[in-house]
Amino acid sequence: MRKLKKSSDLESLRKRLLAARRRIRSTIVICGGTGCQASKSPEVIAAIRAELAKQGMERQVHVRATGCHGFCEQGPLLVIEPGNLFYCQVKAGDAKEIVARTVKKGDVIERLLYTDPVSGRKVRTEAEIPFYQAQDRRLLGRNRSVDPCAIEDYIAAGGYSALAKTLAGIKPEKVIAEIKASGLRGRGGAGFPTGRKWAECAEEPGDEKYVVCNADEGDPGAYMDRCLLEANPHLILEGMMIGAWAIGASAGYIYVRKEYPLAVRHARIAVEQAREFGLLGGNILGSPFSFDVEIARGGGAFVCGESTALMASLEGKVGEPRAKDIHTVKDGLWHKPTALNNVETWANVPAIILDGARRFAAKGTKDSKGTKIFALTGQVKNTGLVEVAMGTSLKDIVFNIGGGAKNGRAVKAVQTGGPSGGCLPVDRFDLPVDFDTLSEAGAMMGSGGMVVMDEGTCMVDVAKYFLGFLQDESCGKCVPCRVGVDRLLEIVTDITEGRGRREQIDLLKDLADTISVASLCALGKTAPNPVLSTLRYFPEEYIAHVDHKKCPAGVCKALIRYSIETDKCNGCGSCLRACPHGAIYSGKKKVHVIDDKECQKCGICVAECKFAAITVN
Amino acid sequence: MTELDPVLKGRRSQPHLLIETLQDVQELYGYLPEQAMNAVARELGVPLMEAYRVACFYKAFSLKPRGRNVFTVCTGTACHVRGANLLLDQVRGQLNIEPGETTADGSVTLKRVNCVGACALGPVVIEDGTYCHHMTPGKLRKAIDKSRGKKKGARDHA
C-alpha cells in the first residue's frame, strides 16, 4: 500500500525518496515539453537511456524527462546535474558523446553549448544565459526538478507540503485571508482578486460546491498554461486542493484543450497517481477533507475559455456564455457555487500558503503582485516562456530577454493579450506590464501572450487577422458580437483590398463602441480592441491603405505586386519549382518572369529565392 | 456497434458526458459516423438533435470522414506573423482544397487550428499527430508529396 494516511507519512516518504536520490551520481535532465518534442527530444531521451544501459551506468545516472524549460527556440534542451551544464539543440546522435565524455569524464562538449548571440560567447550554464538571467522563475524554475509523470519527483521536491500544512491546521477562512493578503489576481486575463472570489464562494450556503481549473488556453500565441499543466500537473492539483478546502468543495474539474494532448495525458496521470497515494479521495492525509478531480477535454471552441461557457461545456452542452448578473461563485456549475481559476492562478497557491503571503507580495507592483509568465513569440530572437515580476517593462522583456528583432529588422510593435488585447508601438515599450497599465494604454495584459511584430508586419492585416479569428469563434448567441464583428471584418477587409474610404474609419470606431458596450460576454466586449489599438497607434498605416492604396509592409495582397529583378535572377529555377500556382515561367538558365494574371501573391517564391531577386512593390 | 462499447462504458445515462464521449468517437473513427451519433445519443440519454448541435458547435468534431493523411496548419498569432498563410496557400495551390476539406482521392485532409501552443517554433504544421516546426512552403510541399506517395520531382498544379 502506497496510500499516505497522515501528513507524517508524506514526510517520511519524502525522506526516503531524498535518501535514495543521494545514491545517484548524476542526473541528465531532458526537456520533453511539446516544443522540444517537436524538435525530436523523445529520440534524444531514448538514445541517452540506451547509451547509459550500454555502458552499464543506468543505476548511477538518472534520466529525467521533464516538461517545458521555456527556451523552446533552442530545443531539445539538456541539463546535467550536478553542475547544471546546459546543452542545447541536442540530437540523438550526440548521446554517445554526452555519456562517454561529459557524464563519464566531466568534459564539456563545446559545440553543444549555447552561444550568446550578442557577445558571441559560449555559455556553460542556464544561469549565464541572458534569456534566463533577467527572469524571476518562481513557477517555471520548478519544472526542471520534476518528471511530470512521477508524483515521487514532486514530493521529493517539497510538493504537497502546502496541502499537508493546510489540512493540519489552517482553517478555511485563514487560507482565504492569506490569499487575500497576497494580492493574487486571476492570471487568465481579467485580474479578479482570487481571495475575494474564494471568500464569496465560501460564504454561499450548501455543501455541494465545485472548483474548476480553466486550462482552455485559447488565446493564439499563448502557451503558459499548457506548459505548467504539462510540466508540473501536481502543482496545479495541490493548488486546487487548497482552494477546495478553503471554499468547501468536494469535487473539481480541469477543463483542458484537446489541442494540448500532452497536457491532457499528464493531467490524467497526475490525477491517477494522486488517487493512488491517497492525496485525492476520501479523508485526505487523515483529515476530514475529501476531494476528487476529473479531467474534461475542451472541444476546440475559443469562447469556452469564458467561465460561464466553460461551465456549460462541462455540463455537456453547447458552450454559450450567459449573462453574469448572478456570478458563478453563487450560481456556477450545475447551478452550484463554483470557484473557477486559471492554471497559473492555481499554480501560485501552494507557495503562498507555504511561504506566506508576504513573500509573494514582495514582488510586483502596488496592485499586481507576484510574477507573471509570458509567451514571448513572433519576430524576436529568443522565443519561449518568460517569467518576470509584475511591473517589468515591455522593453526589458522584448529586448533584454527576447534579444530584439530577428533578421536585423526593427521591432515595430508588440501584441499583448491575444484577440482581446491590442498592439502597442515601440515608443510605448517603457510601460510596466501589469493588469492595469496595459489596459489603460488600450491593450491588455491578458493571459500572457506577447507576439513581437517587426516592419514586415502590416498592422491593418493584424487587425483583420484577429477579427477573422473572432468572427469564427463568436458563439453567435448575442447580436452585437455576431453581427458587429462580422461588419468590422467586412470594413477592414475593404481597407486591405483597396476599397477603403475615409468615412469607414469613423464607422469602425462607432461600431467598436457599440460592440464593446452591448455584447454579452468578454469575447464580444473586448473584440474591438485589436482594431481600436491599431487605429490609435498606427493611424498612418490605415491612411496609406485607404488614401494611397498602398500596404507599407507589403502584406496585403490586393495592394502589392511581385516582380523579378532581371539583373539579380540567374535562372536557377527554385522559384519556378516552388510556385504552387504555376505563375512563374522561363526557359532553362534564363531570367524568370512572374505572370501577374496567375500570381496569387502568396510570397512563397520570395522565401525560396536565394538571390533576393524577387521584390514586392 | 461493439467498437463503441469501451467508449460508452461507464457513461450510459449520463448526458453531461456527451462531449467527452464524442471526443473518443472522433478519435476512434476520425469523424462522427451517423450510426455512432445515434448510439451515443440513445445510450447517454441525449436528444439526437442536441447531440448534433454539440457536434456542430465544437471544432473538434467532424461529421465527414477525413483523408488518409491529415495536415493541420496552425494559424495562431505567432504562426501568422511568421507566415502561416503561405502554408495554407501552398496547400490550396497544390491540392486545390480549403481548410476543412479533403482531396477527391481521399489522400489528404487540410485542417487549420487556432493555436497548438508551440508558438516559439512557428510556423507549425501537424502531420498526422507529429509536430513539424519552422515550416516553409517548400518543406510542406515535399511532406505532402511524400504522404501521397509521389516521387521526387513529379509535380502538378491541381
Side-chain angles (χ1 to χ4, degrees), chain A residues 458-468 489 492 530-531 534 542:
Chain A
C458 167
M459 302 318 281
V460 187
D461 176 71
V462 168
K464 186 171 106 175
Y465 164 79
F466 281 115
L467 287 171
L489 177 62
V492 174
V531 179
T534 47
Y542 280 85

Side-chain angles (χ1 to χ4, degrees), chain A residues 34-35 38-39 72-73 220-223 226 257-261 268 295-301 303-304 313-320 334 377-379 383-384 406 451 453 457 461 465-466 469 472-473 475 557 576-582 602 604 608, chain B residues 11 15-21 23-24 26-27 50 53-54 57-61 75-78 80-83 85-87 89-94 112-122 130-134 136-139 141 155-158:
Chain A
T34 298
S39 313
C72 312
E73 180 86 65
Y223 61 105
R226 169 180 74 65
R257 288 182 83 201
K258 179 189 166 287
E259 291 87 342
Y260 291 171
R268 280 182 173 158
I295 312 284
R297 284 166 292 174
V303 70
C304 286
S313 184
L314 273 178
E315 293 171 11
K317 297 177 195 153
V318 161
E320 284 176 352
W334 288 298
T377 60
Q379 308 292 14
T383 58
K406 287 205 319 190
V451 185
M453 297 166 174
T457 313
D461 176 71
Y465 164 79
F466 281 115
F469 174 87
D472 201 31
E473 294 293 346
C475 77
K557 285 182 188 177
L576 189 146
R577 280 191 296 278
C579 177
H581 309 101
C602 66
I604 289 171
E608 290 287 321
Chain B
R11 288 174 173 158
H16 74 279
L17 294 177
L18 176 65
I19 296 171
E20 277 294 296
T21 313
Q23 301 261 23
D24 289 340
Q26 173 81 30
E27 251 167 53
E50 183 60 24
R53 189 165 170 248
V54 165
F57 182 85
Y58 293 99
K59 284 207 178 61
F61 306 125
T75 55
T77 323
H80 176 79
V81 300
R82 287 191 182 178
N85 269 340
L86 302 187
L87 302 174
D89 274 336
Q90 170 64 42
V91 188
R92 284 190 185 107
Q94 194 177 353
R112 46 175 281 197
V113 59
N114 281 331
C115 187
V116 292
C119 314
L121 303 170
T130 307
Y131 289 67
C132 312
H133 57 96
H134 295 114
T136 61
K139 281 200 236 172
R141 181 182 71 230
R155 53 194 284 270
D156 60 359
H157 292 297

Side-chain angles (χ1 to χ4, degrees), chain B:
Chain B
M1 267 195 267
T2 49
E3 283 168 298
L4 275 181
D5 277 342
V7 173
L8 291 169
K9 200 176 161 223
R11 288 174 173 158
R12 289 190 165 86
S13 305
Q14 296 183 77
H16 74 279
L17 294 177
L18 176 65
I19 296 171
E20 277 294 296
T21 313
L22 293 182
Q23 301 261 23
D24 289 340
V25 175
Q26 173 81 30
E27 251 167 53
L28 186 64
Y29 299 103
Y31 75 112
L32 303 176
E34 196 181 330
Q35 270 178 301
M37 285 295 286
N38 290 333
V40 168
R42 188 179 60 238
E43 296 297 323
L44 265 66
V46 179
L48 188 58
M49 192 177 85
E50 183 60 24
Y52 269 97
R53 189 165 170 248
V54 165
C56 297
F57 182 85
Y58 293 99
K59 284 207 178 61
F61 306 125
S62 158
L63 296 174
K64 280 185 267 173
R66 65 178 175 197
R68 287 186 294 281
N69 306 285
V70 181
F71 285 84
T72 309
V73 178
C74 177
T75 55
T77 323
C79 290
H80 176 79
V81 300
R82 287 191 182 178
N85 269 340
L86 302 187
L87 302 174
L88 286 177
D89 274 336
Q90 170 64 42
V91 188
R92 284 190 185 107
Q94 194 177 353
L95 301 173
N96 202 19
I97 51 172
E98 288 294 317
E101 293 179 355
T102 304
T103 51
D105 64 356
S107 64
V108 175
T109 296
L110 172 64
K111 281 189 178 176
R112 46 175 281 197
V113 59
N114 281 331
C115 187
V116 292
C119 314
L121 303 170
V124 175
V125 172
I126 305 167
E127 182 184 354
D128 299 321
T130 307
Y131 289 67
C132 312
H133 57 96
H134 295 114
M135 258 301 186
T136 61
K139 281 200 236 172
L140 183 58
R141 181 182 71 230
K142 283 173 204 143
I144 291 174
D145 279 346
K146 203 174 156 199
S147 77
R148 302 177 85 203
K150 276 199 163 178
K151 284 197 194 103
K152 211 180 157 190
R155 53 194 284 270
D156 60 359
H157 292 297

Side-chain angles (χ1 to χ4, degrees), chain A residues 171-182 195 357:
Chain A
K171 289 211 171 76
E173 47 276 23
K174 276 283 287 180
V175 172
I176 293 173
E178 198 68 18
I179 299 292
K180 270 188 179 167
S182 73

